[in-house]
Amino acid sequence: MHAAGVLDDGVLDRLTPERFEAVFRSKVTSAFLLDELTREHDLSVFALFSSASSAVGNPGQANYAAANAVLDALAEARTAQGLPATSIAWGAWGGGGMAGGDRADEAAARAGVGAMDPQLACDALWQLVREAEPTAVVADVQPERFVRGFGAARPSALLRELPGYQELLAAAEAAEESRAAADGALRDELAALPQARRLETVLDLIRTRAAHVLGHPGKDAVGAERSFRDLGVDSLGAIELRNQLNAATGLTLTATLVFDHPTPAALAEHVLQQLTPDEAHEPADAEEAEIRSLLSSVPLAQLREIGVLEPLLQLAGRDINRPEPEDEPGESFDEMALDDLVRAALDGQSDQSDIDNQ
């Protein structure tokens, strides 16, 4: 039984020969050695743990998919020579392993692949090694999610013969074609906002989607001026974020998006320019962005302790002494999103400046 494997994922143009070699050494070289060293033995089972990536592909795993495809070919060759062989292209197993980890689990779930119960997977292994077919795919696939992939419809050789698959694919393709409606809706929303709020709206969208890709519960974990690299967005995460933004905006953004615009704030300016190309956009105030970023890193309790919180609320026009109606309980300081608080204060300051200038 050959179950060795390592991962070294990356987008295709970053997968060097050395990165292929590391993956192939554990998968392919060891499988060939096992084949060579057991040919004189009277085996009843020669089982190879392949991966579903060899059958359907997986973003960022070109080297791993190719290595596992060699295992499938080895099983075919041994069977043709009258030797026992079964190569099983597994989906993700539950209970840890190479596909373990919250981000990996969430990415697989969004792609329509669930984690299999290990006992059921072992039952499938026991059944398959006793059958004549040299290759098989065993995975927990949700076809309606799988055909959408990472935000786009993708035909699948694995599923195309299943009943109802063509209908699912047609529905996914129709949904993809309707992205233009999302584009129009977002453009209409931006058009209805004051120009000063448009960049903020796009920035909120980008922070929210980036948080989703990174597995954070909300956008507060994604600072506007922090680089995507520091936030933990790798090359695969960059592609997923690009796909999500394409779906949300109706734009066709490049795969190098987060590298060309390395912070959420810089990316928001670029996306807004793409959405409203006919309007002039003033560059973001660097000092204001820095202040917002600094304030977002300070706990509310500390702002209250040093006496900054109440002046901010007063500047924003909030009466901190006015009791809230019983049937409409007010929002406590601790429950307020800090970026909303800062925004209110800064907006209040801008309003006061306008009054003073009149």
Side-chain angles (χ1 to χ4, degrees):
M1 186 171 294
H2 170 47
V6 298
L7 294 173
D8 191 1
D9 297 349
V11 293
L12 187 59
D13 62 359
R14 295 175 184 266
L15 291 180
T16 62
E18 292 75 21
R19 296 179 70 179
F20 269 86
E21 182 182 3
V23 173
F24 269 63
R25 182 167 58 250
S26 65
K27 274 287 180 183
V28 176
T29 303
S30 56
F32 282 160
L33 288 173
L34 193 62
D35 169 55
E36 178 183 344
L37 295 172
T38 60
R39 281 188 170 254
E40 302 305 320
H41 295 264
D42 184 19
L43 299 180
S44 58
V45 171
F46 186 94
L48 301 161
F49 274 44
S50 180
S51 166
S53 63
S54 68
V56 298
N58 200 32
Q61 292 193 324
N63 51 0
Y64 190 66
N68 283 286
V70 176
L71 299 193
D72 299 339
L74 176 59
E76 296 274 5
R78 283 181 58 93
T79 300
Q81 298 165 14
L83 298 171
T86 307
S87 180
I88 304 174
W90 295 106
W93 284 48
M98 295 181 70
D102 292 340
R103 284 190 61 193
D105 291 343
E106 290 177 2
R110 288 196 295 274
V113 179
M116 297 180 293
D117 177 79
Q119 184 58 57
L120 289 177
C122 287
D123 291 344
L125 169 65
W126 176 240
Q127 177 180 336
L128 289 169
V129 296
R130 294 183 293 173
E131 296 181 355
E133 290 294 329
T135 60
V137 178
V138 180
D140 180 5
V141 177
Q142 297 176 313
E144 67 281 0
R145 294 179 64 89
F146 187 82
V147 296
R148 293 197 302 270
F150 288 87
R154 56 175 182 181
S156 170
L158 174 65
L159 302 179
R160 64 188 175 195
E161 295 181 4
L162 292 180
Y165 172 72
Q166 294 301 328
E167 290 77 6
L168 289 172
L169 182 61
E173 290 174 341
E176 188 174 353
E177 291 173 357
S178 69
R179 285 195 312 171
D183 178 17
L186 183 57
R187 290 176 193 270
D188 291 343
E189 179 185 356
L190 293 174
L193 291 173
Q195 189 167 9
R197 293 290 306 278
R198 294 173 187 173
L199 181 60
E200 182 182 325
T201 299
V202 176
L203 178 58
D204 283 349
L205 169 66
I206 290 171
R207 292 176 63 200
T208 300
R209 296 306 174 103
H212 182 64
V213 168
L214 292 168
H216 296 310
K219 66 179 182 180
D220 290 344
V222 180
E225 295 297 329
R226 288 192 65 189
S227 72
F228 287 109
R229 185 181 298 276
D230 290 343
L231 288 167
V233 177
D234 56 17
S235 55
L236 300 181
I239 292 175
E240 187 174 355
L241 177 58
R242 185 277 309 266
N243 289 347
Q244 290 207 21
L245 291 177
N246 278 349
T249 65
L251 297 173
T252 303
L253 302 168
T254 66
T256 59
L257 191 69
V258 302
F259 304 108
D260 298 334
H261 311 280
T263 67
L267 180 54
E269 291 185 17
H270 172 71
V271 172
L272 180 60
Q273 181 66 51
Q274 298 299 308
L275 287 168
T276 55
D278 297 331
E279 296 184 11
H281 300 284
E282 296 182 3
D285 187 323
E287 183 179 7
E288 179 178 330
E290 182 179 4
I291 292 172
R292 288 178 183 272
S293 180
L294 288 172
L295 282 172
S296 68
S297 66
V298 181
L300 283 176
Q302 189 172 350
L303 289 177
R304 182 187 293 108
E305 181 181 348
I306 64 176
V308 173
L309 185 60
E310 291 186 5
L312 277 174
L313 289 172
Q314 291 173 345
L315 188 61
R318 286 179 178 254
D319 184 354
I320 60 175
N321 297 315
R322 177 174 56 85
E324 299 288 347
E326 292 184 1
D327 58 341
E328 295 181 4
E331 186 179 40
S332 73
F333 292 165
D334 293 332
E335 291 172 346
M336 294 175 61
L338 186 56
D339 55 350
D340 291 336
L341 170 63
V342 175
R343 182 186 309 118
L346 291 173
D347 289 346
Q349 187 177 36
S350 299
D351 294 340
Q352 184 63 45
S353 298
D354 292 340
I355 293 173
D356 293 341
N357 291 330
Q358 289 179 357

